[in-house]
Amino acid sequence: MSDGDLDIDGLAAEGSRAIASASSTAGLAELETEFLGKRSALTRAHRALGGLEPEARKEAGRRLNEARDRLVSELESRRAELAASERADALRADRLDLTEVIPAAVRSAPGRGHLHLVSQARAELEDVFVGMGFVVAEGPEAETDWYNFEALNIPPAHPARGMWDTMYLDLGEPETVLLRTHTSPVQIHLMEQAVAEGTLPIHAVIPGKCFRLDTPDARHLPVFNQIEGLVVDRGITFGDLAGTIQLFTEAYFGPGMQSRLRPAYFPFTEPSAEFEITCTLCLGEGCRTCSHTGWIELGGCGMVDPAVFDAVGIDPAEWSGFAFGFGIDRLAQMRHAVPDMRSFLENDIRFLSQF
Ligand code: DAH
C-alpha cells in the first residue's frame, strides 16, 4: 500500500464535514467510531504504514497524525457545542410553567372585596327610607355646642349632657367645637336651611358617624354610626311616628316583625319614646339577649319639642313633626347576631368576609 492509495486529505475533509453537520452528541459518538475508531480508515492506514519505505512511512505517518489530531479537536469542540445546546433544551423541557398549573381564576386580578357589613346596613337603610318617601341628607361630624346641644334643648350644665360625653376640639374658635355625639344636630341644620330657603316640609333621614367617650365593649364603640329621621309637616301626629317605625321594621327586618314604643325622655322631643322591635334572636319567645322580654330596644324617638322649633324659627302652631334616631352598628349586630361589636373594627378578613 502506498501513500498515494490513501486519500488522507479527502478522508479528513469528509470527517470534518460530518462532524460539523452532526446534530447530536449521540450522532457525534458514532462519527468518532467511524472516523477515529479501531476500524476506521485512518486507523487501518496507520496499521498499514509498516509496509512502506522508511521515508514514505514517516511522511504518511506525520500526515495521518495531523489529520487525526485535527479531527479529534474538531470533534471535541463540536461535542462541547452540542452538549451545551442539548442541556439548554433539557432545561427548557423540564421547566415547570406555573401559569399552566394554577387555575385561571387564581392567576387573574385579586378577588374583589365587598362593602363592610356596617356600610351594607347603612345602604339598605337608606334604600328602605327612600322607598318610604324620605330624602337622604348629611351634616358635619365636628359641631358647635349650639347644634349638638343647645338648639336641641340641652342647655349648658343640663344633666342630660351627661348622656353624651365627647371630645372637645380646641380650634381657637370663640364657640365650643366638639365631635358630634349623635346625628340629631343635623335636624337643626336641615330645619334652619328649610326656613332660610322656604322649603318646608322636611322628610329626611341622616346617616353618619358619631363619637362618644365610651369604653369599647361588646355593645359600645367610641366611634359608631347612627341614622336620624326627621319629618316636619302640617298635621303630623304621634300616630305617623308609630306607623313609620312599624313600616320600617317590617321593610328592614321582614314581615311579621313588630315594633312598640315605650315612654322615655329626650330633651329635644316631647313626648319621647324608646322604640323596640321583636327580638331578632328568639323572634319574641324570650331569650338571654332580650332579658326574656321578647323585645330589643333599637333607638329613641318622639314629637319635635316646641323649644327646638323655637330655636330654628319654625312656628309650632303651623308645623309639627317627629324625629327618631338609632345606631346602625347596633342594628347590624342584632340582625346578624354578632356577639361582639368590636369585631367590626378588627379588620379580620375571616369575620368580614362572612357578610
Ligand atoms: N340622639 C339620640 C341619641 O343619640 C337618639 C334620639 C332620640 C334621636 C330621640 C332622636 C329622637 O331623633 O327623637 O341618644
Side-chain angles (χ1 to χ4, degrees), residues 49-127:
L49 284 179
L52 293 180
E53 294 300 317
E55 270 308 301
R57 185 185 337 159
K58 209 171 147 197
E59 172 60 12
R62 189 186 56 77
R63 290 181 54 218
L64 275 173
N65 283 337
E66 260 178 31
R68 171 175 283 273
D69 288 349
R70 203 169 63 241
L71 284 183
V72 167
S73 99
E74 284 174 7
L75 202 108
E76 286 316 316
S77 70
R78 183 67 185 145
R79 199 196 314 274
E81 263 173 44
L82 287 174
S85 92
E86 283 173 8
R87 192 172 140 71
D89 285 347
L91 285 177
R92 236 191 322 277
D94 276 359
R95 197 176 63 186
L96 183 58
D97 183 355
L98 292 178
T99 60
E100 284 169 10
V101 176
I102 300 173
V106 178
R107 247 191 294 142
S108 58
R112 284 180 76 179
H114 60 71
L115 290 178
H116 189 281
L117 173 58
V118 174
S119 303
Q120 291 178 38
R122 172 179 165 159
E124 284 171 23
L125 286 168
E126 289 178 9
D127 281 354

Side-chain angles (χ1 to χ4, degrees), residues 164 181-182 184 187 212 226 228-229 266 268-269 300-302 323-325:
W164 296 286
T181 59
H182 48 180
S184 301
Q187 289 188 32
R212 287 189 202 171
Q226 282 190 338
E228 189 88 10
F266 295 101
F268 34 91
T269 42
C301 61
F324 58 85

Side-chain angles (χ1 to χ4, degrees), residues 7 9 72 74 77 85 89-90 106 180 186 202 204-205 207 215 232 281 300 312 317 326 350:
D7 181 7
D9 291 339
V72 167
E74 284 174 7
S77 70
S85 92
D89 285 347
V106 178
R180 70 179 179 194
V186 190
I202 298 169
V205 286
T215 305
V232 179
L281 289 177
V312 295
F326 55 90
R350 293 167 302 179

Side-chain angles (χ1 to χ4, degrees), residues 149 152-155 158-164 262-275 297 299-303 305 307:
F149 293 123
L152 289 166
N153 198 28
I154 313 170
H158 191 284
R161 287 203 180 201
M163 288 156 64
W164 296 286
R262 305 213 308 163
Y265 168 74
F266 295 101
F268 34 91
T269 42
E270 181 60 34
S272 300
E274 273 167 1
F275 66 95
E297 186 206 319
C301 61
M303 302 305 290
D305 194 296

